[in-house]
Amino acid sequence: MKYLLLFLLIFTQPVYALNINESIKSTIINNIKVKNAYEKLNESKEIIENSYGKKLPSITTSISGTYSKSETETSNVTTTPESFTDKYKITLTQNIYDGGVNNLEIDRSNLLYEIEIIRFKNTIQNLILRAIEGYLTVTNFSKSLAANKKNYDSVQKFLEETKTKYDIGSATLFDLQNAESAFALAETNLFVAKENYNISKKTFKRIVSLEAHNLEEIANIDEKIKLKQVIDTVQKQNLDLLILGLEISNNEILLSKEKNSKLPSLDLSASAEYSDTGRIDPGSKKTDGSISLTLTIPIFQQNIDNSNIRKYHSKILQSEYNFEDYKSDLEIQALNLFKDYEISRSNIQTNLKRIKSIETSLDIIKSEYALGTKSITDIIDAESELLSVNVNYHNSKKDFILNYFQIKALQGTLIEMFENYLPEFN
């Protein structure tokens, strides 16, 4: 699948800057949840080996040694014969016909492994989303911290100016109190921004296993998304929906196995035995061999088989209902995500226009303040508004990018964008 360029790197960053691809690669390689899911895959793979093994013959051997001693008294003659018998036996058993149960179990084990592969991909895809969200959160809080620091410095400067003017009588007590209030708010906002940034870095490291230093910016995504295409892809490739579809097939196989258990089975058994009783006193050697065929015909199984057949018919219907119900839910999720994606796109443009407007207004207010026609309160209010809109802009940009990747995850195609980082599992 071809994608347009998703990430534009900021080439002025240092060579050791961390980009989103490296973050996701580290997440896939180092995250414990991925390692655990991979081991689950290996466990599921053994089920396939076990199902194939059931079609192979079973060979057993036994070796035994028996010592015996007895005492016999006849006409004043007493004898105490002793014997030690070696016995060697090998037995081979092979199912010849089982009504197709073993073949169905092989099909089922392969299907269960396919389900585990999809679950494995789902685990990785969810972690990729978390890594992207963590990456965006760190960069967003970093920008918010910078904006709050700038606002703090600006308000602090105005507070000092207001104190000076108040001392010489050119500013009122209201002006001073307003400046002190604005400074206290800026100080609190700066503290909150620092804490948010520090916590976001720790969360990022917990997911990605890398320090969140010098993160490169993710540029706006240049891919056009069409709602109909999103819904069509979701209903065909959503990973959870694929699992539900395979669960239907799994129950159908279980039903077939239960029906076939009512069929007769044919087993072959062959054995060879050698024994030697002449280890102590002269004895005899004996060799035996046998081949047998056993035909087993189920006649009555306490109605358990019929009950299980009805049960699996019910489970098939349940899994079909779940499939259709979840398919309808997915359409609503796709509609909501697409709506949020378009809203965040619109918010970006709106906030950009508002920032430009407020910056122009702030320049005018500063000029008028220098002429004495505007107060320090006007400047502080404009600075606060600019800070708020800047934060909104970064949040809308984060939401836009995150919504894009959430749509890809819902479609089941997010993992394809980073498939080069996936471990081998086939």
Side-chain angles (χ1 to χ4, degrees), residues 238-292:
N238 177 269
L239 298 181
D240 289 319
L241 192 64
L242 291 178
I243 290 175
L244 289 176
L246 291 174
E247 287 293 348
I248 296 174
S249 301
N250 179 44
N251 287 322
E252 289 174 343
I253 292 176
L254 289 172
L255 174 62
S256 297
K257 281 184 64 180
E258 199 62 45
K259 288 180 177 179
N260 289 4
S261 69
K262 298 166 71 72
L263 299 175
S265 63
L266 182 64
D267 296 283
L268 168 70
S269 178
S271 66
E273 182 180 304
Y274 169 78
S275 63
D276 183 356
T277 59
R279 297 298 184 189
I280 298 177
D281 293 324
S284 60
K285 298 180 180 181
K286 185 179 179 182
T287 302
D288 288 325
S290 65
I291 297 177
S292 65

Side-chain angles (χ1 to χ4, degrees), residues 158 161-162 165 170-172 174-175 178 360-382:
F158 289 132
E161 289 181 6
T162 305
K165 289 183 178 182
S170 61
T172 65
F174 175 76
D175 291 334
N178 197 24
T360 302
S361 176
L362 182 59
D363 289 339
I364 295 172
I365 292 173
K366 286 180 178 179
S367 299
E368 293 178 347
Y369 173 74
L371 296 173
T373 57
K374 290 290 185 182
S375 68
I376 191 68
T377 303
D378 296 319
I379 295 179
I380 291 173
D381 289 344

